[in-house]
Structures are given as C-alpha cells and as structure tokens.
Amino acid sequence: MLAQPEYQPQIITLEDPEKVAYFVVTQIIALVNRKANAVMTIPTGKTPERAYELLVEAVRKGEVDFDKVILRMLDEYQWLKRNDPRTFQNQLRKLLINPIHFPNIQFQTINSYPETDSPKEADRYEKLISATPSDIVILGIGQNGHIGFNEPLSPFDSRTRVVQLSDNTLAANKKDIQRHGQYTPEYAITQGIGNILEADRIVMMATGESKADIIRQALKGEINTDVPASALRTRQNVLFVLDSAAASQL
Ligand code: F6R
C-alpha cells in the first residue's frame, strides 16, 4: 500500500456503555443544533441501541429538532423480505425513525430485497449518497475490525457495494439473525470505506471487553486492510468513544 499520512484519532474513555451512549448523543445534538440539515450515517447493531433511546428522549423533550436532518443507512443485509424484523431498516425504524416520527423522505435506505438485483441496488445507493457526503458517520466495530460490513481486505477506497459476510461476522451475528431456523443472510450492501472516510466527522462507538483486542489493533496496530477500522487513522476528525472495558488494552 502507498505511504499515507497517519493521524491520531481523539479517544474518549468513559466508565460504562450508558455514558458512551450519552456522550455520543450529545455530539449528535451539538451537530444538529449547529447544522439543522445535517446528513448523518447511522449504524445498527447492539452498540448504538441505547444512544437511539436517548436520542428519542431528547427529540421528545425538544432538546433537538430533527425536522431537516437526513438520516442514511450504513449497511443492510440482502435477501431478507422487507417486513422481516431482522433487516437493519426495520430495526432502525423501530428504535429511532418511528418513535420520532421522522419523515420517510429524509430517511435514505438500502433495500434488503431489491426489486432488481443487489448490485443495481448498491449502485443506486452509491449515486444517492455520493452527491452529498455525510456530515457525520456513527460507527460500531466488528470483532474482526469491520466497519459497516467492510470486512477484512476491503480496500480503503471501496465504495458502496455488495459484500459477502465473513464467517467471523456470521458467527457474531448468529444469535440475532438465525432465530427460528430462518434463512441467514450471507450477503449485505455496505457503504464502502471510501464513503465513510469522506464524511466530515467520524464517531466510533465501542463497548465491552469483547471489543478490547480489536480496538487495540485498530488504534495501535499497523494500518492495513487486515483491520478495516485502522483506515480511520488515515484521516483527521475521528473520535473513538469507548467504555473502560473496550479501552482496557490500550
Ligand atoms: C451495523 C454495522 C456493524 C456493527 C458491528 C458491531 O450497521 O455496520 O459494523 O456496527 O458489527 O455490532 P455490535 O454493535 O452489535 O457489536
């Protein structure tokens, strides 16, 4: 890989997941209060769930106004029916979109069961989002270092595309996506690392001991495609918000 500049992300370590969620929500509120029409890419997964609850409370209390915000999905499984509760879109609708009555037209979604085919859906989404890079991307991290569903060996300049989920990711997701012997998605569409890196600001959330080793690799190991999250050190304005367990190997 070509030599590239290396930056040190800002790292904030807090006591527990509750404080991490609270801190990230204050970042989101500050952004939207500064820029009412902010474009935000948001993840699914367990890590941000509490933050979404807190954000719903903040909107209900009038602490922030989401009327002009654009929310955009980071990734989505493929070949799950639209009404399947396991789709990331349905999870986000349940946790955040519906409770704040967020306008559909401002929610940029990836179809889990595209009318055409998945590569066409990925191209459609790429065209939609590349015109206006995100003001902020909120991320979680996989135990293999994935960001979005950019699995190890994803190029740092990759764009929105169809990806095959790694065995590691399938194993980590098993509890959530393999309920009742249902079909387990093996493919997803994800924003590429290139899409993520062109955002104005990136906030990585990680909590729990199971993330400690990969957080150490992402922040202290070599910058290369073996650990996709290490790409975050190739640009400025990146914030890692960790609880003490996830930061325990730093
Ligand atoms: C989800 C996503 C994934 C998750 C990661 C961590 O939209 O893009 O990269 O952020 O797998 O998942 P949790 O938070 O469940 O540990």
Side-chain angles (χ1 to χ4, degrees), residues 42-49 52 73-77 88 92 138-151 169 172-173 176 190 196 204-207 210-211:
I42 53 172
T44 322
K46 289 203 185 47
T47 313
E49 280 182 5
Y52 294 147
M73 291 176 66
L74 175 62
D75 47 11
E76 178 61 285
Y77 292 129
F88 284 173
L92 289 171
I138 312 285
L139 296 174
I141 189 168
Q143 282 176 28
N144 63 358
H146 72 211
I147 49 177
F149 275 137
N150 294 283
E151 301 284 28
T169 298
N173 289 355
D176 303 319
T190 186
I196 294 169
M204 161 65 78
M205 307 176 72
T207 57
S210 66
K211 301 291 171 70

Side-chain angles (χ1 to χ4, degrees), residues 186-197:
E186 289 166 25
Y187 291 88
I189 290 177
T190 186
Q191 288 193 32
I193 297 180
N195 299 92
I196 294 169
L197 294 182

Side-chain angles (χ1 to χ4, degrees), residues 49-66:
E49 280 182 5
R50 179 64 182 145
Y52 294 147
E53 277 176 21
L54 294 173
L55 197 53
V56 169
E57 272 176 38
V59 172
R60 282 187 179 148
K61 284 188 198 149
E63 289 166 15
V64 63
D65 185 349
F66 263 54

